[in-house]
């Protein structure tokens, strides 16, 4: 059933394209005899689209746009093309009947909607959508849906999408008959000439301001079979201030940690903040580059809690060090301890000697 519906949609779309591009549809059919065409009518369908819901979205999102279509077509005027007077009863009846048919000129038949984007940051993932037919004053029973994808690199701002609407409509009518009876016109013939209408409309969507983060610096050495500190500097590269930002890391082999969160505070656009993580490296860790995932939870300017996209922390592990190398890392610490011991010992000796001198006195 769905396959048949898709085929019908495609065939309708192809028919409309052929109508628009073929010169044959720019002139009247040969069977029309305009000696009997009483009226020239002006006006026609006027299909407009309205975006249902909010038009503001965020970068990196996949969104379904719901468009409500409404036909606001009207007859704007008409004139008596024949200009004949003293019509007989049959001609008067045909004339009035023709006007009833002409009123159908405002109906949009077999509407096909096509949405496109000229921006590289917005991709329309849906093809042509069929919306059925609409009489004047009618709207679609359910919105026409288009799926779009917003790039993660899309700058904040307004992006216009081009909506093209194609439909058939009755452009002219010709009636004929042999005689008028109580039952109506005998052998009445109705000639309907259809043409193709095309309307363009801009649908604006907005990519909202938001905070965005990237790692601008990583310091700290991590050795196999040791625990070490990793200092990571985050920068707010977005357009919105991030309040009470907290970063959480997600570690996998060869890393482990009991310290996976750090408070960054409030980061205005362009500001940076450091996070310090204590990581334990497995003794079997291979010395190479690694990537650690992190996410930042923050409060936006409207007070809503938001979570950033995954931010990669690039680091590397070094081979396990020998005992001597490990001790050398604490040389400064040991030197301080020695100095403290020496100074403390000298002070005690001084105090002891001072006490002895007082005793001799």
């Amino acid at each position: 059933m769905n396959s048949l519906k898709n085929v019908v949609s495609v065939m309708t779309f192809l028919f409309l394209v052929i109508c628009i591009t073929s010169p044959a549809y720019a002139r009247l059919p040969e069977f029309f005899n305009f000696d009997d065409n009483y009226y020239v009518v002006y006006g026609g369908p006027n299909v407009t689209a309205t975006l249902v819901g909010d038009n503001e979205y965020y970068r990196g999102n996949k969104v379904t746009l719901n468009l409500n279509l409404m036909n606001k077509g009207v007859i704007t005027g008409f004139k008596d093309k024949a200009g004949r007077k003293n019509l007989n009863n049959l001609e008067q009846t045909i004339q009035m009947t023709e006007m009833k048919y002409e009123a159908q000129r405002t109906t949009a038949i077999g509407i096909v909607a096509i949405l496109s984007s000229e921006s590289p940051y917005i991709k329309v993932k849906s093809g042509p959508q069929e919306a059925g037919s609409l009489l004047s004053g009618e709207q679609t029973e359910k919105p026409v849906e288009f799926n779009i994808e917003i790039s993660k690199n899309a700058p904040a701002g307004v992006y216009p999408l081009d909506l093209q609407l194609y439909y058939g409509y009755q452009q002219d009518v010709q009636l004929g008959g042999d005689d008028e009876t109580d039952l109506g016109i005998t052998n009445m013939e109705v000639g309907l000439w259809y043409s193709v209408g095309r309307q363009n409309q801009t649908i604006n969507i907005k990519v909202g301001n938001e905070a965005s983060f990237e790692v601008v610096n990583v310091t700290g050495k991590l050795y196999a079979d040791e625990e070490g500190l990793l200092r990571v500097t985050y920068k707010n590269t977005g357009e919105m201030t991030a309040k009470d930002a907290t970063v959480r890391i997600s570690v996998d082999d060869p890393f482990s940690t009991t310290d996976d969160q750090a408070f960054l505070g409030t980061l205005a656009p362009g500001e940076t903040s450091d996070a310090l993580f204590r990581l334990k490296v497995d003794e079997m860790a291979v010395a190479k580059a690694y990537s650690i995932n992190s996410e930042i939870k923050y409060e936006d300017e409207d007070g809503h809690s938001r979570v950033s996209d995954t931010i990669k922390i690039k680091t590397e592990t070094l081979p396990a060090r020998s005992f001597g190398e490990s001790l050398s890392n604490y040389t400064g610490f040991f030197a301080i301890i020695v100095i403290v011991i020496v100074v403390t010992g000298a002070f005690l000796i001084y105090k002891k000697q001072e006490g002895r001198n007082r005793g001799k006195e």
Side-chain angles (χ1 to χ4, degrees), residues 145-183:
E145 296 183 350
F146 288 97
N147 296 321
I148 66 170
E149 185 175 310
I150 303 173
S151 170
K152 291 182 179 180
N153 300 317
V158 176
Y159 292 84
L161 303 179
D162 181 45
L163 178 67
Q164 298 182 37
L165 299 171
Y166 299 93
Y167 50 80
Y169 71 98
Q170 177 185 291
Q171 183 162 331
D172 217 329
V173 180
Q174 173 190 349
L175 271 74
D178 293 341
D179 195 6
E180 182 184 12
T181 67
D182 293 339
L183 298 176

Tab-separated table of all heavy atoms in Angstrom, residues 145-183:
chain	number	residue	atom	x	y	z
A	145	GLU	N	5.139	16.970	6.470
A	145	GLU	CA	6.350	16.819	7.275
A	145	GLU	C	7.606	16.805	6.408
A	145	GLU	O	7.652	16.144	5.367
A	145	GLU	CB	6.290	15.528	8.090
A	145	GLU	CG	5.164	15.499	9.119
A	145	GLU	CD	5.179	14.229	9.945
A	145	GLU	OE1	5.945	13.302	9.599
A	145	GLU	OE2	4.432	14.155	10.938
A	146	PHE	N	8.616	17.542	6.863
A	146	PHE	CA	9.937	17.527	6.237
A	146	PHE	C	10.987	17.330	7.329
A	146	PHE	O	10.961	18.019	8.357
A	146	PHE	CB	10.216	18.848	5.500
A	146	PHE	CG	9.428	19.031	4.240
A	146	PHE	CD1	8.258	19.775	4.250
A	146	PHE	CD2	9.848	18.459	3.054
A	146	PHE	CE1	7.528	19.951	3.098
A	146	PHE	CE2	9.120	18.628	1.890
A	146	PHE	CZ	7.952	19.369	1.911
A	147	ASN	N	11.893	16.402	7.106
A	147	ASN	CA	12.982	16.160	8.048
A	147	ASN	C	14.213	16.952	7.614
A	147	ASN	O	14.617	16.899	6.448
A	147	ASN	CB	13.327	14.670	8.107
A	147	ASN	CG	12.181	13.837	8.649
A	147	ASN	OD1	11.492	14.242	9.572
A	147	ASN	ND2	11.951	12.668	8.066
A	148	ILE	N	14.789	17.681	8.561
A	148	ILE	CA	15.996	18.439	8.275
A	148	ILE	C	17.075	18.084	9.301
A	148	ILE	O	16.778	17.579	10.386
A	148	ILE	CB	15.753	19.957	8.291
A	148	ILE	CG1	15.393	20.435	9.710
A	148	ILE	CG2	14.674	20.343	7.287
A	148	ILE	CD1	15.372	21.938	9.845
A	149	GLU	N	18.305	18.363	8.932
A	149	GLU	CA	19.440	18.103	9.820
A	149	GLU	C	20.271	19.376	9.921
A	149	GLU	O	20.647	19.961	8.906
A	149	GLU	CB	20.281	16.955	9.260
A	149	GLU	CG	21.423	16.513	10.157
A	149	GLU	CD	22.147	15.302	9.599
A	149	GLU	OE1	21.478	14.315	9.235
A	149	GLU	OE2	23.392	15.357	9.513
A	150	ILE	N	20.535	19.807	11.159
A	150	ILE	CA	21.290	21.033	11.402
A	150	ILE	C	22.722	20.663	11.772
A	150	ILE	O	22.950	19.870	12.681
A	150	ILE	CB	20.645	21.860	12.520
A	150	ILE	CG1	19.183	22.169	12.171
A	150	ILE	CG2	21.419	23.154	12.759
A	150	ILE	CD1	18.417	22.835	13.285
A	151	SER	N	23.678	21.236	11.058
A	151	SER	CA	25.086	20.918	11.286
A	151	SER	C	25.520	21.321	12.694
A	151	SER	O	25.042	22.308	13.260
A	151	SER	CB	25.961	21.646	10.251
A	151	SER	OG	27.330	21.545	10.573
A	152	LYS	N	26.441	20.547	13.239
A	152	LYS	CA	27.007	20.877	14.546
A	152	LYS	C	27.819	22.168	14.491
A	152	LYS	O	28.080	22.784	15.531
A	152	LYS	CB	27.900	19.737	15.035
A	152	LYS	CG	27.145	18.463	15.388
A	152	LYS	CD	28.089	17.398	15.913
A	152	LYS	CE	27.317	16.134	16.297
A	152	LYS	NZ	28.217	15.083	16.824
A	153	ASN	N	28.223	22.571	13.290
A	153	ASN	CA	29.033	23.780	13.125
A	153	ASN	C	28.203	24.979	12.690
A	153	ASN	O	28.762	26.019	12.336
A	153	ASN	CB	30.142	23.523	12.102
A	153	ASN	CG	31.070	22.396	12.519
A	153	ASN	OD1	31.457	22.305	13.681
A	153	ASN	ND2	31.431	21.535	11.586
A	154	ALA	N	26.886	24.846	12.704
A	154	ALA	CA	26.032	25.933	12.220
A	154	ALA	C	26.107	27.133	13.163
A	154	ALA	O	25.832	26.997	14.357
A	154	ALA	CB	24.588	25.453	12.103
A	155	PRO	N	26.458	28.312	12.649
A	155	PRO	CA	26.418	29.504	13.501
A	155	PRO	C	24.983	29.851	13.873
A	155	PRO	O	24.039	29.524	13.149
A	155	PRO	CB	27.036	30.594	12.595
A	155	PRO	CG	27.752	29.860	11.506
A	155	PRO	CD	26.986	28.585	11.302
A	156	ALA	N	24.829	30.504	15.002
A	156	ALA	CA	23.497	30.946	15.404
A	156	ALA	C	22.986	31.978	14.411
A	156	ALA	O	23.745	32.777	13.863
A	156	ALA	CB	23.544	31.524	16.816
A	157	GLY	N	21.680	31.955	14.157
A	157	GLY	CA	21.095	32.913	13.224
A	157	GLY	C	19.883	32.343	12.529
A	157	GLY	O	19.421	31.235	12.837
A	158	VAL	N	19.342	33.117	11.575
A	158	VAL	CA	18.147	32.737	10.835
A	158	VAL	C	18.549	32.136	9.489
A	158	VAL	O	19.400	32.677	8.789
A	158	VAL	CB	17.224	33.954	10.620
A	158	VAL	CG1	16.020	33.581	9.759
A	158	VAL	CG2	16.759	34.512	11.961
A	159	TYR	N	17.920	31.007	9.148
A	159	TYR	CA	18.201	30.317	7.895
A	159	TYR	C	16.909	30.195	7.083
A	159	TYR	O	15.942	29.584	7.545
A	159	TYR	CB	18.776	28.926	8.169
A	159	TYR	CG	20.149	28.954	8.788
A	159	TYR	CD1	20.296	29.110	10.172
A	159	TYR	CD2	21.295	28.852	8.016
A	159	TYR	CE1	21.555	29.156	10.747
A	159	TYR	CE2	22.554	28.889	8.581
A	159	TYR	CZ	22.678	29.047	9.948
A	159	TYR	OH	23.928	29.094	10.515
A	160	PRO	N	16.870	30.798	5.887
A	160	PRO	CA	15.674	30.689	5.045
A	160	PRO	C	15.661	29.375	4.269
A	160	PRO	O	16.665	28.983	3.669
A	160	PRO	CB	15.799	31.893	4.106
A	160	PRO	CG	17.277	32.137	4.006
A	160	PRO	CD	17.873	31.716	5.326
A	161	LEU	N	14.525	28.692	4.287
A	161	LEU	CA	14.318	27.488	3.491
A	161	LEU	C	13.318	27.812	2.397
A	161	LEU	O	12.333	28.531	2.622
A	161	LEU	CB	13.793	26.351	4.365
A	161	LEU	CG	14.647	25.966	5.572
A	161	LEU	CD1	13.970	24.829	6.344
A	161	LEU	CD2	16.044	25.561	5.153
A	162	ASP	N	13.553	27.295	1.201
A	162	ASP	CA	12.684	27.580	0.065
A	162	ASP	C	11.636	26.486	-0.080
A	162	ASP	O	11.972	25.315	-0.253
A	162	ASP	CB	13.523	27.686	-1.220
A	162	ASP	CG	12.663	28.016	-2.426
A	162	ASP	OD1	11.806	28.905	-2.313
A	162	ASP	OD2	12.825	27.363	-3.485
A	163	LEU	N	10.376	26.868	0.003
A	163	LEU	CA	9.262	25.934	-0.172
A	163	LEU	C	8.601	26.214	-1.516
A	163	LEU	O	8.127	27.323	-1.771
A	163	LEU	CB	8.242	26.094	0.950
A	163	LEU	CG	7.007	25.189	0.849
A	163	LEU	CD1	7.393	23.725	1.040
A	163	LEU	CD2	5.948	25.602	1.865
A	164	GLN	N	8.576	25.207	-2.377
A	164	GLN	CA	7.909	25.308	-3.662
A	164	GLN	C	6.650	24.449	-3.646
A	164	GLN	O	6.696	23.288	-3.252
A	164	GLN	CB	8.841	24.852	-4.791
A	164	GLN	CG	10.100	25.689	-4.927
A	164	GLN	CD	10.958	25.237	-6.092
A	164	GLN	OE1	10.437	24.857	-7.141
A	164	GLN	NE2	12.268	25.267	-5.907
A	165	LEU	N	5.553	25.049	-4.061
A	165	LEU	CA	4.270	24.366	-4.088
A	165	LEU	C	3.779	24.278	-5.530
A	165	LEU	O	3.708	25.300	-6.232
A	165	LEU	CB	3.244	25.120	-3.236
A	165	LEU	CG	3.581	25.266	-1.746
A	165	LEU	CD1	2.609	26.222	-1.072
A	165	LEU	CD2	3.560	23.908	-1.058
A	166	TYR	N	3.467	23.069	-5.983
A	166	TYR	CA	2.925	22.835	-7.315
A	166	TYR	C	1.529	22.231	-7.173
A	166	TYR	O	1.287	21.402	-6.294
A	166	TYR	CB	3.815	21.868	-8.103
A	166	TYR	CG	5.227	22.351	-8.326
A	166	TYR	CD1	6.249	22.005	-7.446
A	166	TYR	CD2	5.548	23.147	-9.416
A	166	TYR	CE1	7.548	22.444	-7.636
A	166	TYR	CE2	6.845	23.591	-9.627
A	166	TYR	CZ	7.836	23.233	-8.735
A	166	TYR	OH	9.126	23.665	-8.932
A	167	TYR	N	0.635	22.639	-8.051
A	167	TYR	CA	-0.717	22.078	-8.034
A	167	TYR	C	-1.389	22.332	-9.383
A	167	TYR	O	-1.004	23.221	-10.151
A	167	TYR	CB	-1.566	22.700	-6.916
A	167	TYR	CG	-1.537	24.219	-6.892
A	167	TYR	CD1	-2.329	24.971	-7.762
A	167	TYR	CD2	-0.705	24.901	-6.013
A	167	TYR	CE1	-2.294	26.353	-7.757
A	167	TYR	CE2	-0.665	26.275	-6.000
A	167	TYR	CZ	-1.458	27.003	-6.877
A	167	TYR	OH	-1.419	28.368	-6.872
A	168	GLY	N	-2.383	21.526	-9.652
A	168	GLY	CA	-3.206	21.769	-10.818
A	168	GLY	C	-4.411	22.610	-10.440
A	168	GLY	O	-4.843	22.612	-9.293
A	169	TYR	N	-4.934	23.360	-11.409
A	169	TYR	CA	-6.154	24.120	-11.162
A	169	TYR	C	-6.914	24.303	-12.473
A	169	TYR	O	-6.346	24.236	-13.557
A	169	TYR	CB	-5.856	25.467	-10.522
A	169	TYR	CG	-5.195	26.471	-11.438
A	169	TYR	CD1	-5.945	27.456	-12.089
A	169	TYR	CD2	-3.822	26.438	-11.670
A	169	TYR	CE1	-5.350	28.370	-12.939
A	169	TYR	CE2	-3.219	27.348	-12.508
A	169	TYR	CZ	-3.986	28.308	-13.140
A	169	TYR	OH	-3.389	29.209	-13.995
A	170	GLN	N	-8.194	24.497	-12.353
A	170	GLN	CA	-9.060	24.675	-13.512
A	170	GLN	C	-8.900	26.096	-14.041
A	170	GLN	O	-9.236	27.055	-13.356
A	170	GLN	CB	-10.509	24.413	-13.105
A	170	GLN	CG	-11.533	24.627	-14.200
A	170	GLN	CD	-12.933	24.456	-13.666
A	170	GLN	OE1	-13.343	23.357	-13.323
A	170	GLN	NE2	-13.668	25.562	-13.564
A	171	GLN	N	-8.410	26.214	-15.267
A	171	GLN	CA	-8.162	27.549	-15.808
A	171	GLN	C	-9.331	28.078	-16.639
A	171	GLN	O	-9.574	29.282	-16.654
A	171	GLN	CB	-6.885	27.560	-16.662
A	171	GLN	CG	-6.539	28.943	-17.190
A	171	GLN	CD	-5.116	29.053	-17.647
A	171	GLN	OE1	-4.242	28.361	-17.135
A	171	GLN	NE2	-4.851	29.920	-18.607
A	172	ASP	N	-10.034	27.198	-17.321
A	172	ASP	CA	-11.155	27.686	-18.125
A	172	ASP	C	-12.183	26.578	-18.326
A	172	ASP	O	-11.876	25.393	-18.161
A	172	ASP	CB	-10.679	28.203	-19.483
A	172	ASP	CG	-11.478	29.423	-19.920
A	172	ASP	OD1	-12.667	29.498	-19.551
A	172	ASP	OD2	-10.915	30.290	-20.614
A	173	VAL	N	-13.395	26.983	-18.689
A	173	VAL	CA	-14.514	26.062	-18.856
A	173	VAL	C	-15.249	26.392	-20.153
A	173	VAL	O	-15.420	27.567	-20.508
A	173	VAL	CB	-15.508	26.168	-17.681
A	173	VAL	CG1	-16.674	25.187	-17.868
A	173	VAL	CG2	-14.815	25.910	-16.357
A	174	GLN	N	-15.680	25.378	-20.846
A	174	GLN	CA	-16.537	25.539	-22.019
A	174	GLN	C	-17.725	24.590	-21.893
A	174	GLN	O	-17.548	23.415	-21.577
A	174	GLN	CB	-15.769	25.222	-23.305
A	174	GLN	CG	-16.646	25.215	-24.544
A	174	GLN	CD	-15.932	24.668	-25.757
A	174	GLN	OE1	-14.716	24.476	-25.723
A	174	GLN	NE2	-16.668	24.412	-26.812
A	175	LEU	N	-18.914	25.121	-22.138
A	175	LEU	CA	-20.121	24.300	-22.072
A	175	LEU	C	-20.871	24.370	-23.391
A	175	LEU	O	-20.834	25.397	-24.093
A	175	LEU	CB	-21.054	24.770	-20.948
A	175	LEU	CG	-20.834	24.148	-19.560
A	175	LEU	CD1	-19.588	24.721	-18.922
A	175	LEU	CD2	-22.027	24.404	-18.662
A	176	GLY	N	-21.546	23.307	-23.702
A	176	GLY	CA	-22.397	23.275	-24.883
A	176	GLY	C	-23.562	22.335	-24.661
A	176	GLY	O	-23.511	21.454	-23.799
A	177	GLY	N	-24.655	22.516	-25.418
A	177	GLY	CA	-25.811	21.638	-25.302
A	177	GLY	C	-26.768	21.839	-26.457
A	177	GLY	O	-26.698	22.839	-27.185
A	178	ASP	N	-27.675	20.883	-26.616
A	178	ASP	CA	-28.600	20.930	-27.746
A	178	ASP	C	-29.870	21.689	-27.427
A	178	ASP	O	-30.375	22.463	-28.247
A	178	ASP	CB	-28.965	19.499	-28.180
A	178	ASP	CG	-27.769	18.770	-28.772
A	178	ASP	OD1	-26.813	19.455	-29.176
A	178	ASP	OD2	-27.787	17.520	-28.802
A	179	ASP	N	-30.398	21.483	-26.226
A	179	ASP	CA	-31.685	22.090	-25.916
A	179	ASP	C	-31.866	22.143	-24.404
A	179	ASP	O	-31.147	21.479	-23.656
A	179	ASP	CB	-32.816	21.270	-26.560
A	179	ASP	CG	-34.134	22.033	-26.593
A	179	ASP	OD1	-34.120	23.231	-26.229
A	179	ASP	OD2	-35.153	21.428	-26.956
A	180	GLU	N	-32.813	22.960	-23.971
A	180	GLU	CA	-33.131	23.065	-22.549
A	180	GLU	C	-34.492	22.465	-22.292
A	180	GLU	O	-35.476	22.796	-22.977
A	180	GLU	CB	-33.128	24.523	-22.102
A	180	GLU	CG	-33.416	24.688	-20.620
A	180	GLU	CD	-33.499	26.152	-20.199
A	180	GLU	OE1	-33.564	27.029	-21.085
A	180	GLU	OE2	-33.527	26.385	-18.974
A	181	THR	N	-34.574	21.589	-21.332
A	181	THR	CA	-35.831	20.963	-20.952
A	181	THR	C	-36.022	21.132	-19.451
A	181	THR	O	-35.168	21.700	-18.746
A	181	THR	CB	-35.820	19.462	-21.300
A	181	THR	OG1	-34.854	18.795	-20.464
A	181	THR	CG2	-35.476	19.237	-22.768
A	182	ASP	N	-37.128	20.605	-18.965
A	182	ASP	CA	-37.387	20.665	-17.516
A	182	ASP	C	-36.343	19.873	-16.733
A	182	ASP	O	-36.124	20.131	-15.550
A	182	ASP	CB	-38.784	20.117	-17.219
A	182	ASP	CG	-39.878	21.014	-17.773
A	182	ASP	OD1	-39.577	22.205	-18.012
A	182	ASP	OD2	-41.006	20.527	-17.968
A	183	LEU	N	-35.727	18.917	-17.391
A	183	LEU	CA	-34.713	18.092	-16.737
A	183	LEU	C	-33.317	18.685	-16.868
A	183	LEU	O	-32.359	18.159	-16.326
A	183	LEU	CB	-34.731	16.672	-17.317
A	183	LEU	CG	-36.036	15.904	-17.132
A	183	LEU	CD1	-35.948	14.549	-17.837
A	183	LEU	CD2	-36.354	15.723	-15.656
